[in-house]
Amino acid sequence: MWSWYADALRDYVATVVLLGALMLLVYAGLRALGRSHDTALGWTFVLPWLAGFLAFQLFPFVASLYLAFTDYDVLTPPRWVGLANFARLLDDPKFAASLKFTALYALFSVPLGIAGSLACALLLNRNIKGVGFWRTLYYVPAVIPAVATAVLWRWLLSTDGLVNAVLGPVYALLGMEKPRWFLDPETILPGFVLMSLWGVFGANTVILLAGLKNIPRELYDAAAVDGATGWGRFRHVTLPMLSPTLFYVLVTGLIGALQMFTQAFFIETPRSTVTFLQVYIYQEAFGLRHMGYASAMAWVFLLVILGLTLLVFRSSPLWVYYESEVRGEDRAARGAKAPGRRLYVFRAGLRRRLRAGAPAVDDQHVA
């Protein structure tokens, strides 16, 4: 009974001893080459991570690229087939349907998630009694395992789950039947989008809250002097100053939504319905052992994610505001030797005046 445990323990001990010996050899070798003690020690302690990166990340990454051009079923050696796997993608309707389903999920879940996270961050940015408790409570979903989240929402959105039980009178009033969220092909996507809103109360809220804390207070004071209302301050001060943080949340949220896997894997849906592309790749690789075809799909999906991410980056100059850039424009307009100053830059036409070389007006907005 304990033989498997003893074998595993022996392997772990052997790995630790081997890594320890390798670290000592690296340290001694670097010292013999004349490197300083701190440099040699730094490379020595980074060696275990570097070995793990090469063995468990870089090697599988490169191996998957090779397997994408082969016919490989895990049990027999790979057989080179060239571009056959990629040609097969063009004739695979399930691949196109899964890609479309994943893209629609990202299209709806990412904007809703960012809007909800921003609303929560604005609430938590207020100075009220017990705000630390609420910030901790809103962050709890970020530390709950994804599997537990999937099980929880599978119960909430089941036919007789809590959501349908609470909304039952509404369904009866509208003459509707209870939705079969993860069983009906028409409600699977709305069900997953609804589940994604759980992530509103998590890491994104904390990140946006940190961005709100970094907005200088004098900008709001300058806006109040100009007679800006609450919506005006939010539109002309909060959003521009928070745009770099929103940009980061958008990029990470888009990549995370496109890589949706864990929750979809642990929530049962009819086999005849479309699923997320990550789940389809897993089914082909480990269910049907079409490892070469799954690798080709994974690389195509990687290029899709890379392309969408690059589009977001290319759009950033149109809506992402960096205060340092405007300060540079201001210094260029007033002379390279002029001391920098922070401006209330959100009034219409001020950027144009700075770019044209005209002096920045309204000195009451200079902090």
Side-chain angles (χ1 to χ4, degrees):
M1 176 180 179
W2 295 98
S3 60
W4 64 271
Y5 179 77
D7 293 340
L9 184 62
R10 183 189 64 234
D11 294 340
Y12 288 145
V13 172
T15 302
V16 170
V17 171
L18 180 62
L19 277 176
L22 187 59
M23 291 170 68
L24 292 175
L25 288 175
V26 169
Y27 179 80
L30 290 175
R31 292 293 289 166
L33 292 175
R35 298 295 188 271
S36 65
H37 169 74
D38 292 340
T39 301
L41 200 61
W43 280 105
T44 300
F45 281 112
V46 84
L47 181 64
W49 175 89
L50 187 60
F53 172 77
L54 293 175
F56 300 112
Q57 295 190 35
L58 185 60
F59 173 75
F61 185 81
V62 176
S64 69
L65 179 59
Y66 166 71
L67 293 177
F69 298 93
T70 65
D71 181 14
Y72 181 49
D73 62 359
V74 182
L75 302 178
T76 58
R79 183 174 60 87
W80 184 267
V81 295
L83 298 176
N85 288 326
F86 296 94
R88 179 182 171 186
L89 289 175
L90 301 177
D91 299 326
D92 187 356
K94 193 169 183 179
F95 170 78
S98 298
L99 182 59
K100 178 181 177 182
F101 184 84
T102 306
L104 287 175
Y105 170 78
L107 178 64
F108 289 106
S109 64
V110 173
L112 290 175
I114 293 177
S117 298
L118 180 57
C120 293
L122 290 171
L123 290 175
L124 297 177
N125 194 37
R126 298 182 176 182
N127 293 323
I128 60 174
K129 187 176 181 180
V131 68
F133 166 77
W134 291 107
R135 290 173 180 172
T136 304
L137 184 63
Y138 276 47
Y139 184 70
V140 167
V143 299
I144 296 179
V147 176
T149 301
V151 173
L152 173 64
W153 279 94
R154 186 175 62 183
W155 169 71
L156 288 174
L157 294 179
S158 64
T159 305
D160 298 323
L162 181 61
V163 173
N164 282 348
V166 172
L167 298 179
V170 178
Y171 298 147
L173 182 63
L174 298 176
M176 298 172 51
E177 297 182 357
K178 293 182 179 180
R180 301 166 65 243
W181 291 100
F182 296 122
L183 299 178
D184 189 345
E186 295 183 357
T187 57
I188 290 178
L189 179 60
F192 278 110
V193 172
L194 182 63
M195 183 179 65
S196 71
L197 298 181
W198 173 264
V200 166
F201 313 104
N204 285 347
T205 297
V206 175
I207 294 172
L208 292 174
L209 177 61
L212 291 172
K213 291 294 184 182
N214 287 329
I215 299 178
R217 183 62 197 175
E218 56 263 28
L219 296 181
Y220 291 105
D221 296 336
V225 171
D226 276 351
T229 60
W231 168 250
R233 290 192 294 271
F234 175 78
R235 179 187 174 191
H236 297 292
V237 178
T238 302
L239 282 181
M241 295 298 295
L242 196 62
S243 57
T245 308
L246 290 171
F247 173 68
Y248 170 80
V249 172
L250 174 61
V251 172
T252 57
L254 176 63
I255 296 175
L258 292 174
Q259 292 180 335
M260 173 71 161
F261 175 77
T262 304
Q263 293 90 332
F265 184 77
F266 284 93
I267 293 179
E268 296 182 1
T269 56
R271 292 185 177 273
S272 59
T273 59
V274 68
T275 185
F276 290 91
L277 187 55
Q278 287 280 71
V279 178
Y280 181 48
I281 292 174
Y282 176 88
Q283 292 172 349
E284 287 287 331
F286 299 99
L288 302 176
R289 296 201 305 273
H290 297 160
M291 193 65 68
Y293 182 56
S295 297
M297 282 195 294
W299 274 92
V300 171
F301 193 34
L302 171 65
L303 295 178
V304 170
I305 295 177
L306 181 61
L308 292 176
T309 305
L310 289 177
L311 286 177
V312 175
F313 270 88
R314 291 297 298 271
S315 70
S316 62
L318 301 176
W319 61 278
V320 180
Y321 162 77
Y322 294 101
E323 189 178 9
S324 59
E325 295 180 358
V326 176
R327 289 187 183 183
E329 293 174 354
D330 182 31
R331 285 194 294 270
R334 293 182 289 109
K337 296 182 179 180
R341 59 180 181 175
R342 180 176 296 155
L343 298 176
Y344 175 57
V345 298
F346 308 108
R347 297 186 63 187
L350 183 54
R351 282 200 187 194
R352 287 196 303 272
R353 290 196 297 272
L354 290 176
R355 290 193 179 101
V361 297
D362 298 336
D363 290 337
Q364 68 268 25
H365 300 313
V366 178

